[in-house]
Amino acid sequence: MFTWMYGLPVWLDFVIITATAVLVACAGIWFARPLVLRLFGPEPGKNETVTMVLTVGGVFYGLLLGLVAAATYENADVAQGLVADEAAAVGTLYREVSAYPEPERAVLRQDLIDYTDNMLLVCFPALRRGEEPAGGTALVTRFQEHLLAFQPETAAQGIVHAATIDQFARFDQERRHRINAASGGIPDVLWAVILVGGVINLVLLCLFSLDRGAHLVLGGLFAFFLGAMIFLIAILDFPFRSELSVDPEPFESMYTNVMGVT
């Protein structure tokens, strides 16, 4: 629902969302004041009743925001861990195929270098644009074909080959987990509940009978905090897309330190 924000700087996303929340709250307080005074009377009006309703609703809504924010942060952290696990699996594979005889060693190592190149130059940029990255599956298939075509000639080669096949299976599993994490996101129905709940809380805020200046200050602060929470959830919703997205640093580090490519 907030996918438009991933093409903008993070600071601008924050300003847009929080400013929108504050402007909506202040406009509501300003224009609803005559109606509130007519229905509820001057201060204190029905402030105790409004406070009770806002407190009860705010507790449930705050709990919802807290749980969703924690879940999105956890998803982003898990996604970063999956990238690190995949990079580690590729690095381990590279070290294991380095024990193969030539020419298989050079072929298999080049396959892994090409896969890492694709991750850094194609996959991560495509994920940040919200696109499906291309080429990765073909490169994995090519490596698998070259790996399975090798026929060990000694017992030692057979042991290394079996360990490499097992490591390839772990790598493929980590890769699948990372792909699944990249397609995640909060369902639209949950976003609808979050936004409707925010609007209801702002409407309740407008129903207080207070001095206009104090009402605007308190309402603006409440709306700013509400907007900040929604911004946090939105920016972490798709962990591979924004400027705060998953970092490809594990692949960069493995590329340099294990493969020796700069």
Side-chain angles (χ1 to χ4, degrees), residues 158-208:
I159 293 173
V160 172
H161 189 55
T164 304
I165 291 176
D166 185 58
Q167 179 60 31
F168 173 76
R170 284 196 291 271
F171 152 69
D172 193 53
Q173 183 180 46
E174 298 294 347
R175 179 174 179 270
R176 287 295 159 193
H177 289 164
R178 189 261 306 163
I179 292 174
N180 291 335
S183 61
I186 297 175
D188 288 343
V189 64
L190 183 54
W191 268 121
V193 172
I194 291 174
L195 296 180
V196 169
V199 171
I200 291 175
N201 275 270
L202 292 180
V203 170
L204 289 171
L205 191 66
C206 295
L207 298 181
F208 281 100

Side-chain angles (χ1 to χ4, degrees), residues 25-26 29-30 33 36 202 204-221:
C26 291
I29 291 171
W30 186 275
R33 182 174 176 81
V36 172
L202 292 180
L204 289 171
L205 191 66
C206 295
L207 298 181
F208 281 100
S209 296
L210 296 173
D211 174 74
R212 177 172 285 174
H215 202 175
L216 289 172
V217 171
L218 294 175
L221 291 174

Side-chain angles (χ1 to χ4, degrees), residues 4-242:
W4 54 266
M5 65 186 295
Y6 297 121
L8 302 174
V10 173
W11 67 267
L12 184 57
D13 294 327
F14 179 79
V15 170
I16 290 175
I17 294 178
T18 54
T20 299
V22 171
L23 287 175
V24 169
C26 291
I29 291 171
W30 186 275
F31 291 108
R33 182 174 176 81
L35 179 62
V36 172
L37 292 178
R38 185 165 64 250
L39 293 177
F40 295 164
E43 188 176 357
K46 302 292 184 180
N47 286 353
E48 290 186 2
T49 303
V50 176
T51 298
M52 180 188 68
V53 176
L54 183 60
T55 300
V56 174
V59 167
F60 288 104
Y61 184 69
L63 182 62
L64 171 65
L65 284 184
L67 290 174
V68 174
T72 53
Y73 176 80
E74 182 179 0
N75 288 340
D77 189 55
V78 168
Q80 184 66 66
L82 293 175
V83 169
D85 290 343
E86 183 182 358
V90 174
T92 302
L93 265 179
Y94 188 85
R95 290 189 181 278
E96 290 187 347
V97 301
S98 296
Y100 278 54
E102 295 289 0
E104 286 83 2
R105 177 195 307 168
V107 171
L108 293 171
R109 289 172 66 169
Q110 187 60 49
D111 287 343
L112 293 174
I113 290 174
D114 291 344
Y115 177 79
T116 306
D117 279 335
N118 180 265
M119 286 294 297
L120 294 174
L121 302 178
V122 178
C123 181
F124 277 99
L127 289 173
R128 287 189 174 179
R129 296 191 301 269
E131 300 173 359
E132 186 70 23
T137 300
L139 292 171
V140 171
T141 301
R142 188 181 76 184
F143 175 84
Q144 182 183 26
E145 290 174 349
H146 289 158
L147 178 64
L148 297 181
F150 174 71
Q151 296 296 325
E153 297 180 356
T154 65
Q157 289 181 358
I159 293 173
V160 172
H161 189 55
T164 304
I165 291 176
D166 185 58
Q167 179 60 31
F168 173 76
R170 284 196 291 271
F171 152 69
D172 193 53
Q173 183 180 46
E174 298 294 347
R175 179 174 179 270
R176 287 295 159 193
H177 289 164
R178 189 261 306 163
I179 292 174
N180 291 335
S183 61
I186 297 175
D188 288 343
V189 64
L190 183 54
W191 268 121
V193 172
I194 291 174
L195 296 180
V196 169
V199 171
I200 291 175
N201 275 270
L202 292 180
V203 170
L204 289 171
L205 191 66
C206 295
L207 298 181
F208 281 100
S209 296
L210 296 173
D211 174 74
R212 177 172 285 174
H215 202 175
L216 289 172
V217 171
L218 294 175
L221 291 174
F222 180 87
F224 178 83
F225 177 73
L226 180 63
M229 288 295 295
I230 292 177
F231 161 79
L232 176 64
I233 295 171
I235 203 67
L236 295 176
D237 188 12
F238 289 92
F240 286 87
R241 294 197 60 177
S242 72

